[in-house]
Amino acid sequence: MSEIKVRQVEPFSAEITVPGDKSISHRAVMFSALSNGVCDIKGFLASEDCLATVGALRAMGVKIEELNEERTHLRVYGNRGEFQAPEGPIDCGNSGTTMRLLSGILAAQPFSTELVGDPSLSKRPMNRIAIPLEMMGAKIEGQGSRLTPPLRIQGTSKIKPIEYDSPVASAQVKSAVLLAGMLGKGKTSVTEPSLSRDHTERMLDYLLVKLVREGNKVSIWGDQIPESRDLVVPGDISSAAFWIAATAGFPGSRLLVHSVGLNRTRVGILDALIRMGAQIRERVDESGCEPMGSIEVKGGELQGIEIGGDQIPTLIDEVPILAVAGAMAKGRTVIRDAAELRVKESDRISTVAENLRRMGVLVEEFADGMEIQGGAQLKGAVIESLGDHRIAMAFAIAGLRAKGETVIRGAECIETSYPGFADELSQLLSSTRRN
Ligand code: S3P
């Protein structure tokens, strides 16, 4: 098990680019694999999660070439929506996106597949995708009432259209249903309680698949395959968020992030930090499939805020770092309506609360969130990542402001989403000294 050691730093000035967006990378390779020709992908995130998607597609007969050593430039040969039955179970590793989106595609294949995952993924509920996909005609078996993995999917070439009212705002559920619908017949619609990230809709639209969006409802027509087109993946705002939060609440620090995704369904963390008083400026280029641009941050004192409702899906993966920003801000930060966090790579409500307490912060935990008393001097502590990459990174950032040493245990999980985080951190640590 690897460890990262962090200590308090002086205000810093940095200019960074972050690796490709995880959500968009998964979709780029899956949708290219479904397409009618050859697609080049630039800026692909060569992290464990996205490589699990590449491995899964290769196991089903898709040819994927790596065009550079870093594996960020891929060439995918589309198979027109028809995969081959894999020889054995498909290992999705730690990746919920791989398992859930792939399930939508597999529901429409005329063979049976087994999907397995690591101990964390094996605890995550798959009934949320199994319910609509079974309504569409697939048969899905999992463990217990929440259908945790291993998952067995018996697909069908006769997927039926549905009108699905999703009980959760989940891009993974929405995408699984839309993918099955696109490979089936007729018009399939998904409505979600509030808008989750819309990368699937944007990319399918860019690949000339007919779909219509009306508020929180998306409809797609069956018998379609994506047109092959080259794709560019912007930097991951969820990875940039760690450095943005580290800077925003640190008077005297400055940061410039280049070529990062600025999709409105993903930038809730910027909006939240701005409400906390952060000085953040965005420059957005809207000309591509996804908005992207640069972010400039000037550090200052932050104030606690209350956050919940429709804002939560727009920063669902950023709640751990938002909680750390709340601990460094003056006053209370209250996070509500975020019960989804309990079924992420770890139970992020309890993992965040426990680790903040270890650093000397007063935290009250609710079923759907937490209240953090900010403003106290953080103390260095031993942090358990519990195999959750975003916990490991959020608390490494907290360690930059804590008195004494912070040790992040189980830091290898960072490789699932942000290869290069530890190097970026050690550069920061060596460029600024504080005793
Ligand atoms: C993702 C959607 C989110 C997010 C996950 C990636 C995606 O999950 O937490 O890291 O790529 O669709 P939900 O859609 O289940 O909230």
Side-chain angles (χ1 to χ4, degrees), residues 22-23 27 97 100 128 169-172 197 316-317 344:
K22 181 157 80 70
S23 290
R27 287 160 173 80
T97 309
R100 295 196 177 118
R128 55 179 56 198
S170 161
Q172 296 180 345
R197 62 191 66 192
I316 190 71
D317 292 338
K344 293 291 179 191

Side-chain angles (χ1 to χ4, degrees), residues 3 73 206 255 357:
E3 281 184 356
H73 190 171
Y206 180 76
L255 176 73
R357 286 187 192 116

Side-chain angles (χ1 to χ4, degrees), residues 86-99:
E87 276 173 16
I90 289 181
D91 188 358
C92 300
N94 188 249
S95 176
T97 309
T98 306
M99 189 171 282

Side-chain angles (χ1 to χ4, degrees), residues 115-144:
L115 300 179
V116 298
D118 74 359
S120 151
L121 184 55
S122 299
K123 284 196 231 147
R124 299 181 65 188
M126 295 298 148
N127 52 350
R128 55 179 56 198
I129 47 127
I131 291 168
L133 295 176
E134 290 214 313
M135 288 164 67
M136 299 175 93
K139 294 264 169 298
I140 303 188
E141 285 166 26
Q143 320 305 306

Side-chain angles (χ1 to χ4, degrees), residues 181-371:
M182 178 182 82
L183 299 171
K185 301 247 173 268
K187 180 182 168 192
T188 288
S189 306
V190 188
T191 306
E192 41 184 359
S194 55
L195 190 63
S196 64
R197 62 191 66 192
D198 66 356
H199 305 305
T200 295
E201 299 91 302
R202 280 177 177 272
M203 197 180 289
L204 289 179
D205 185 55
Y206 180 76
L207 300 177
L208 307 182
V209 171
K210 183 179 164 197
L211 52 82
V212 171
R213 308 162 69 177
E214 305 149 272
N216 297 344
K217 179 176 177 180
V218 198
S219 304
I220 197 164
W221 280 260
D223 284 325
Q224 298 193 82
I225 47 170
E227 183 70 29
S228 57
R229 288 184 79 178
D230 293 346
L231 293 160
V232 176
V233 180
D236 198 326
I237 181 75
S238 297
S239 298
F242 296 107
W243 308 114
I244 294 168
T247 312
F250 199 172
S253 291
R254 299 182 82 101
L255 176 73
L256 183 58
V257 189
H258 295 288
S259 309
V260 66
L262 290 169
N263 180 317
R264 293 312 305 166
T265 62
R266 289 286 298 284
V267 294
I269 184 67
L270 302 183
D271 301 339
L273 288 169
I274 289 168
R275 275 216 287 135
M276 294 171 86
Q279 299 182 64
I280 296 181
R281 237 181 17 194
E282 297 169 43
R283 278 199 190 83
V284 194
D285 172 1
E286 302 263 4
S287 63
C289 165
E290 285 280 347
M292 63 188 285
S294 60
I295 302 173
E296 214 180 319
V297 189
K298 212 169 133 198
E301 294 285 352
L302 300 184
Q303 287 292 330
I305 52 166
E306 293 192 10
I307 190 156
D310 288 0
Q311 290 162 322
I312 296 297
T314 69
L315 48 67
I316 190 71
D317 292 338
E318 285 64 71
V319 174
I321 190 62
L322 177 67
V324 166
M328 294 188 295
K330 289 218 165 77
R332 293 178 321 136
T333 289
V334 184
I335 301 166
R336 285 283 193 186
D337 306 317
E340 269 295 296
L341 294 177
R342 299 225 179 252
V343 291
K344 293 291 179 191
E345 286 85 328
S346 68
D347 172 344
R348 286 186 177 157
I349 296 179
S350 73
T351 334
V352 166
E354 161 65 16
N355 284 322
L356 281 178
R357 286 187 192 116
R358 287 186 184 198
M359 298 188 88
V361 182
L362 276 174
V363 188
E364 188 186 343
E365 198 179 314
F366 314 127
D368 67 344
M370 66 192 90
E371 176 170 330

